């Protein structure tokens, strides 16, 4: 298509002396008839009401200039004031001096059909007809022109085409625009150097007051040429960014908005880099702190036997496995660890996953699908919740640790193909424990699979850290999920079950099948950690003693904390108060992050202390005292 066959099609509609609608396109001659028709339709259906005069003009331009679209940046502003302030700042940033005076002139533009043309420095009006202003016309989006499609009304595309033309007019250095469409609160500032800055909220919703100012800098003698370019030169703008017709924010603006909402509610998170390995103590920003939030309960991540097992495995088998378990990723350290896990838990078989999260997601989605049902404790870990969602099964939530509720609900689930009940063994945010014998009994009587997640139980619960079955001297559930990443000091997840069940998971747990196998160092580390736990049961005893001591210290300071494990929650409630308490504790040398929504319910923010076997009693005593001080200062109800 040569530019020579292009037509400019312009529509203007009015009622009496009132302007109703105006629009224009540049299209191939073949598309001119339907374009004209579409513009007439637009005039007839305008929200300002039915016009009584519609002028459609078709014209073949003598030359066409092609321009690249200005780059677009979107700012999500929350109020018109914020929007106007931002507009002024952008102009100032571009070296425009009398910004406040320019903004004050904006009200004068409301009556104009076109834009006010202002000398950017003297603020003299340069538009020859001050009733009308200057109008930028004869321009279109090159893309839609090429396709010959009459575009639906799209404020954004039209505005960027106009702004691009305007910023390419000789002498123009900036533009500010507010829509006069009552439904459209978005405006923009465009400058040659900063590009097009959309401002999502720049005027009150419902207001018909809009306008434009073009700022000019240059000799008076060139103004005529500037106006000719604006009003007559045909322009096609290339590469106009795509955006939906009625979007008031673009994709990045909506992300920025989510962030500001999070920040306001005290829910913004970020990662903190530690300067030293985490044991019972570490270093942050050059300061020593006591770590009261690590899940490395038995201090095995830095144990010499564990570390050298990992190092040796790296030397022998490499850092990474290079393949999924079912292709080339299974090495002797994987097999050895699985055999050891099965022995440790007393099951026939075991299977390792790259993370504990993936173990839960994989196991649950492999057990049930649409047409099945899962009964899930309301405080189960996010990885269990995600597994439930991914499975497609119906999910029935029962009250936290309320096995009577489980029993009631499960007995009305007989119509399903498969039933699964799933529970954390130790609840990660509350530290309480499942009544495993009763859980298993309810599952058996209702022919439901029993699945528990021993993430916080392995190495912690039971006289020698073997988990809930040891603690209760009871049989195993059908499936035990666990992690290598907490008390085992390594990284990864696992499942322990019968040979038949493990084979089922190998064949159907997608997080297992489609992940690269963990590296041998992580496998060897966990294997060595199991050996340490078996040979040094005193570590588990020391952990239990530290928990008892810490609770008694808290009690001395008036804080009653309940736990069945090494997790000691200290409830605060309000998210911001919890953050303040955590900040204060860090200043005092204790790393205890505030746990907030969505990890716990809204308004149930807490400090979550995790005890290690290697914490010194003096550190624990000082921690209890500081927690009590920080909590009273931040008016918490404990
Ligand atoms: N030339 C100069 N001024 C004009 C023109 C023109 N062709 N068309 C309109 N104006 C003036 C007039 O005073 C209007 O009241 C004012 O500008 C606003 O025009 O999502 O819809 O057509 O990034 O209402 C901007 C945001 C939308 C787009 C702009 O302007 C986005 C808009 P409107
Ligand atoms: Mg308008």
């Amino acid at each position: 298509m040569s530019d020579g066959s292009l037509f400019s099609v312009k529509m203007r509609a009015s009622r009496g002396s009132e302007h109703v609608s105006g629009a224009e396109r540049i299209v191939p001659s073949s598309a001119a008839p339907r374009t004209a028709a579409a513009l007439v339709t637009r005039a007839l259906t305008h929200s300002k009401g039915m016009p009584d005069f519609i002028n459609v003009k078709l014209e073949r331009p003598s030359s066409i200039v092609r321009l690249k679209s200005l780059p677009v940046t979107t700012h999500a502003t929350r109020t018109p004031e914020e929007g106007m302030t931002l507009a002024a700042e952008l102009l100032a940033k571009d070296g425009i001096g009398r910004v406040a005076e320019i903004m004050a002139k904006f009200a004068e533009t409301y009556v104009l059909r076109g834009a006010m043309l202002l000398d950017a420095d003297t603020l003299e009006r340069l538009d020859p007809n001050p009733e009308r202003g200057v109008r930028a016309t004869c321009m279109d989006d090159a893309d839609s022109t090429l396709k010959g499609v009459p575009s639906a009304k799209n404020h954004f595309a039209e505005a960027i085409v106009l702004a691009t033309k305007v910023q390419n007019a000789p002498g123009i250095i900036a533009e500010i625009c507010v829509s006069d469409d009552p439904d459209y609160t978005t405006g923009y500032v465009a400058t040659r150097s900063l590009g097009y800055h959309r401002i999502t909220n720049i005027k009150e919703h419902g207001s018909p007051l809009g306008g434009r100012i073009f700022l000019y800098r240059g000799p008076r003698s060139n103004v005529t040429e500037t106006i000719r370019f604006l009003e007559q030169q045909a322009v096609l703008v290339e590469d106009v960014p795509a955006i939906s017709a009625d979007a008031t924010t673009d994709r990045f603006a909506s992300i920025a908005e989510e962030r500001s909402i999070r920040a306001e509610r005290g829910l913004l998170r970020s990662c903190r880099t530690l300067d030293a390995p985490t044991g019972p103590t570490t270093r942050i920003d050059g300061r020593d702190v006591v770590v009261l939030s690590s899940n490395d309960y038995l201090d095995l991540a830095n144990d010499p036997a564990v570390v050298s097992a990992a190092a040796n495995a790296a030397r022998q088998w490499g850092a990474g496995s290079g393949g999924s378990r079912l292709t080339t990723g299974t090495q002797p350290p994987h097999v050895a660890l699985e055999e050891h896990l099965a022995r440790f838990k007393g099951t026939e078989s075991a299977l390792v996953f790259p993370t504990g999260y993936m173990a839960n997601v994989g196991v649950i989605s492999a057990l049930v699908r649409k047409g099945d049902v899962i009964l899930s404790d309301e405080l189960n870990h996010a990885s269990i919740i995600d597994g439930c969602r991914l499975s497609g099964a119906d999910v029935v939530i029962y009250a936290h640790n309320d096995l009577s509720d489980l029993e009631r609900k499960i007995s009305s689930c007989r119509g399903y193909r498969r039933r699964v009940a799933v529970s954390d063994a130790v609840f990660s945010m509350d530290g309480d424990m499942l009544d495993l014998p009763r859980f298993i009994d309810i599952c058996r009587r209702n022919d439901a699979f029993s699945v528990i997640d021993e993430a916080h139980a392995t190495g912690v619960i039971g006289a020698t850290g073997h988990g809930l079955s040891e603690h209760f001297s009871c049989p195993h559930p059908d499936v035990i999920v666990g992690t290598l990443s907490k008390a085992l000091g390594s990284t990864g997840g696992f499942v322990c079950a019968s040979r038949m069940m493990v084979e089922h998971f190998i064949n159907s747990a997608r997080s297992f099948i489609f992940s690269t196998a963990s590296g041998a160092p992580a496998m060897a580390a966990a294997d060595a950690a199991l050996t340490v736990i078996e040979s040094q049961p005193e570590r588990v005893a020391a952990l239990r003693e530290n928990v008892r001591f810490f609770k008694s210290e808290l009690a001395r300071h008036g804080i009653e904390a309940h736990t069945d494990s090494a997790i000691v929650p200290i409830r605060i409630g309000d998210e911001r108060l919890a953050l303040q308490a955590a900040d204060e504790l860090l200043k005092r040398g204790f790393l205890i992050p505030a746990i907030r929504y969505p990890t716990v319910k809204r308004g149930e923010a807490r400090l979550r202390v995790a005890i290690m076997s290697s914490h010194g009693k003096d550190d624990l005593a000082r921690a209890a005292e500081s927690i009590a001080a920080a909590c009273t200062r931040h008016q918490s109800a404990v």
Side-chain angles (χ1 to χ4, degrees), residues 46 48 153 155 179-181:
H46 199 275
K48 280 188 194 161
K153 181 166 167 73
H155 281 291
S179 173
D180 59 15
D181 182 339

Side-chain angles (χ1 to χ4, degrees), residues 219-298:
R220 275 316 122 79
S221 54
N222 289 358
V223 171
T224 319
E225 170 51 17
T226 300
I227 295 176
R228 188 208 66 82
F229 182 92
L230 289 170
E231 301 203 325
Q232 283 160 39
Q233 176 61 53
V235 163
L236 283 180
V237 178
E238 294 172 344
D239 303 329
V240 175
I243 193 162
S244 71
D246 48 12
T248 52
T249 55
D250 76 5
R251 61 195 191 284
F252 297 110
S254 76
I255 301 278
E257 184 141 0
E258 262 186 49
R259 184 198 190 277
S260 64
I261 291 168
R262 273 200 193 99
E264 239 163 56
R265 297 183 181 160
L267 294 174
L268 200 60
R269 295 158 189 241
S270 60
C271 299
R272 169 189 286 133
T273 307
L274 307 182
D275 304 337
T278 41
T281 61
T282 189
R283 225 171 11 259
I284 296 176
D285 300 331
R287 282 176 54 228
D288 286 333
V289 295
V290 178
V291 178
L292 285 155
S293 45
S294 169
N295 296 316
D296 181 17
Y297 298 113
L298 303 175

Side-chain angles (χ1 to χ4, degrees), residues 452-619:
I452 68 168
D453 178 0
E454 295 213 302
H456 295 276
T458 301
V460 176
I461 305 293
T464 59
H466 287 241
L468 266 63
S469 291
E470 182 186 23
H471 174 85
F472 289 106
S473 307
C474 74
H476 292 302
D478 296 323
V479 179
I480 300 169
V481 180
T483 179
L484 311 175
S485 321
K486 302 188 192 300
L488 298 187
S490 179
T491 178
F494 65 84
V495 55
C496 285
S498 67
R499 219 166 264 123
M500 180 175 78
M501 293 301 282
V502 166
E503 190 197 37
H504 177 71
F505 296 135
I506 290 173
N507 282 277
S508 54
R510 293 172 63 85
S511 60
F512 173 84
I513 298 169
F514 296 106
S515 292
T516 291
S518 308
M523 303 297 93
D527 201 348
L530 285 171
T531 304
V532 174
I533 295 174
E534 286 164 334
S535 59
Q536 300 172 28
E538 59 274 16
R539 285 197 192 231
V540 180
L543 174 62
R544 203 178 348 269
E545 167 55 19
N546 272 350
V547 172
R548 187 207 60 76
F549 176 76
F550 181 66
K551 278 202 298 185
S552 72
E553 284 299 295
L554 282 177
R556 273 201 327 119
H557 296 287
I559 297 180
E560 218 52 62
H562 301 280
T563 183
D564 301 321
S565 62
I567 297 163
V568 187
I570 293 151
R571 280 161 216 280
I572 292 194
D574 182 85
E575 282 78 19
R576 275 151 303 201
L577 290 181
L579 275 181
Q580 285 164 19
D583 281 349
E584 174 167 347
L585 284 161
L586 187 58
K587 287 197 192 96
R588 288 166 170 255
F590 301 99
L591 179 58
I592 311 175
I595 303 288
R596 292 162 286 162
Y597 175 84
T599 309
V600 295
K601 290 182 190 162
R602 273 186 217 279
E604 292 192 10
R606 66 200 61 177
L607 299 174
R608 175 177 172 273
V609 175
I611 303 291
M612 294 173 68
S613 58
S614 52
H615 276 133
K617 286 213 162 138
D618 47 339
D619 282 345

